[in-house]
């Protein structure tokens, strides 16, 4: 059974940093593309960043240059380092695995999801 468990969310002021972690069990983080997504109230879940099994990363335009996705294959953990946070980054952040095909920042193309961790950025 695949389980993804996010942690590391919290409340910070604008300009601050947070690092999210996603512990993976029942699945190998080294074998497939994984990603981070976020959903703000009243909005659809959107892609933030992905990393494939070669370590190639892709970022959504609003976070490029501020967020960094990485993974520790030995520990089976996915990370998202978030710097220079803005109020518009406030959302519930999810990690995802089990990419099927299609657009890599499209939430519908992933099979497995964590429960989410809340990030709140105040101005």
């Amino acid at each position: 059974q695949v389980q993804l468990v996010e942690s590391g969310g919290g409340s910070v002021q604008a300009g601050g940093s947070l690092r999210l972690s996603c512990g993976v069990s029942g699945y190998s983080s080294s074998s497939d593309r994984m990603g981070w997504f976020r959903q703000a109230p009243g909005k659809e879940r959107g892609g933030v960043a992905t990393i494939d099994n070669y370590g190639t990363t892709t970022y959504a335009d609003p976070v490029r240059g501020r967020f960094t996705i990485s993974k520790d294959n030995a520990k089976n953990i996915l990370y998202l380092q978030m710097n220079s946070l803005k109020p518009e980054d406030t959302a519930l952040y999810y990690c995802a695995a089990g990419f099927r095909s299609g657009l890599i920042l499209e939430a519908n193309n992933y099979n497995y999801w964590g429960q989410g961790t809340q990030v709140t950025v105040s101005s």
Side-chain angles (χ1 to χ4, degrees):
Q1 182 179 358
V2 178
Q3 280 195 315
L4 307 176
V5 180
E6 302 95 336
S7 61
S11 297
V12 296
Q13 290 192 327
S17 297
L18 284 173
R19 188 176 81 156
L20 305 184
S21 299
C22 175
V24 183
S25 60
Y27 192 85
S28 173
S29 65
S30 65
S31 66
D32 198 359
R33 179 180 299 278
M34 296 188 65
W36 287 98
F37 291 74
R38 65 187 182 185
Q39 187 168 18
K43 295 189 176 181
E44 292 188 354
R45 190 174 302 187
V48 174
T50 77
I51 184 167
D52 69 11
N53 53 319
Y54 298 103
T56 303
T57 57
T58 303
Y59 296 93
D61 287 343
V63 307
R64 188 175 293 113
R66 299 187 297 122
F67 290 10
T68 302
I69 187 172
S70 62
K71 58 181 178 174
D72 185 329
N73 290 330
K75 296 182 179 179
N76 233 16
I77 299 176
L78 180 72
Y79 298 102
L80 183 69
Q81 177 67 43
M82 305 186 295
N83 298 328
S84 302
L85 282 162
K86 304 176 181 180
E88 52 262 44
D89 294 319
T90 295
L92 191 59
Y93 282 71
Y94 299 89
C95 71
F99 175 73
R100 296 189 297 274
S101 63
L103 297 175
I104 60 177
L105 288 173
E106 172 57 50
N108 289 335
N109 296 332
Y110 290 78
N111 286 324
Y112 307 114
W113 293 88
Q115 81 290 349
T117 185
Q118 179 67 39
V119 171
T120 303
V121 185
S122 58
S123 57

